């Protein structure tokens, strides 16, 4: 399963931007942790564990949003053909 996850991350990086790969990485981490709790067992689900997962996920989402806004603000304005012709 780890090989498949790493391969899909590799494909995501080739096809998409690094920002998309970051967001997918956050989702992959949440999925992996949740599956680990359910499938592997041995860990008692307590409020502290769930709180840690929520904080971790919120931090990943917050980081991804901050990077998205930063990238969006840096994009140059594309000029139309009419604007280019006038200059």
């Amino acid at each position: 399963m780890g090989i498949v996850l790493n391969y899909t991350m590799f494909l995501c990086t080739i096809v998409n931007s690094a920002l998309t790969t970051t967001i997918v990485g956050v989702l992959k981490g949440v999925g992996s942790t949740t599956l680990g709790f359910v499938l592997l067992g041995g860990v008692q689900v307590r409020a502290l564990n769930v709180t840690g997962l929520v904080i971790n996920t919120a931090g990943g989402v917050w980081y991804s949003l901050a990077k998205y806004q930063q990238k969006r603000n840096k994009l140059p304005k594309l000029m139309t053909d009419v604007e280019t012709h006038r200059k």
Side-chain angles (χ1 to χ4, degrees), residues 45-67:
V45 179
R46 295 185 178 169
L48 186 59
N49 293 349
V50 174
T51 303
L53 287 172
V54 169
I55 290 172
N56 186 359
T57 303
V61 170
W62 183 25
Y63 175 78
S64 298
L65 285 173
K67 284 296 188 179

Side-chain angles (χ1 to χ4, degrees), residues 2-87:
I3 292 171
V4 172
L5 286 174
N6 284 329
Y7 182 68
T8 55
M9 291 293 289
F10 175 72
L11 288 178
C12 182
T13 304
I14 289 174
V15 175
N16 300 308
S17 69
L19 178 63
T20 304
T21 305
T22 301
I23 294 170
V24 171
V26 170
L27 295 175
K28 181 190 85 155
V30 170
S32 297
T33 304
T34 305
L35 281 175
F37 272 133
V38 173
L39 297 178
L40 299 176
V43 177
Q44 295 177 353
V45 179
R46 295 185 178 169
L48 186 59
N49 293 349
V50 174
T51 303
L53 287 172
V54 169
I55 290 172
N56 186 359
T57 303
V61 170
W62 183 25
Y63 175 78
S64 298
L65 285 173
K67 284 296 188 179
Y68 172 74
Q69 289 175 350
Q70 185 181 39
K71 184 177 180 180
R72 188 179 62 179
N73 290 337
K74 286 186 178 182
L75 290 176
K77 180 184 172 191
L78 299 175
M79 292 198 286
T80 63
D81 291 336
V82 175
E83 290 174 338
T84 306
H85 181 68
R86 288 183 187 164
K87 288 188 176 197

